[in-house]
Amino acid sequence: MQLEKSRAKLDQELGIKVDMLAWPFGIYDEDLIKSAATAGYIAAFTMVRSPAGPSDNVMTIPRYLVTDQDTGKTLGRLLTTDTR
């Protein structure tokens, strides 16, 4: 219910179709993945600090958390380094 209601609210408020999700706090499991797909999400992002690759599950795409402290060379390394 939360996935469907929040998505509907975002669709309405933003005037666009919202179909991607960032897992809150990076917490998810197979049941949540199925629920998100049923609610209309086509992709979701985790808090796994890793580059995304073609073999990643589209419902568990890794990402880097970028903060205000990630500037200059630090941000450059995040954008250009393959750490797998």
Side-chain angles (χ1 to χ4, degrees), residues 40-58:
Y41 291 98
I42 62 168
F45 300 88
T46 69
M47 293 291 292
V48 174
R49 191 174 171 90
S50 173
S55 63
D56 290 318
N57 179 332
V58 296

Side-chain angles (χ1 to χ4, degrees), residues 9-23:
K9 180 71 171 171
L10 287 169
D11 286 353
Q12 177 186 3
E13 292 291 322
L14 298 174
I16 60 171
K17 180 181 176 188
V18 174
D19 58 7
M20 294 187 198
L21 170 71
W23 293 112

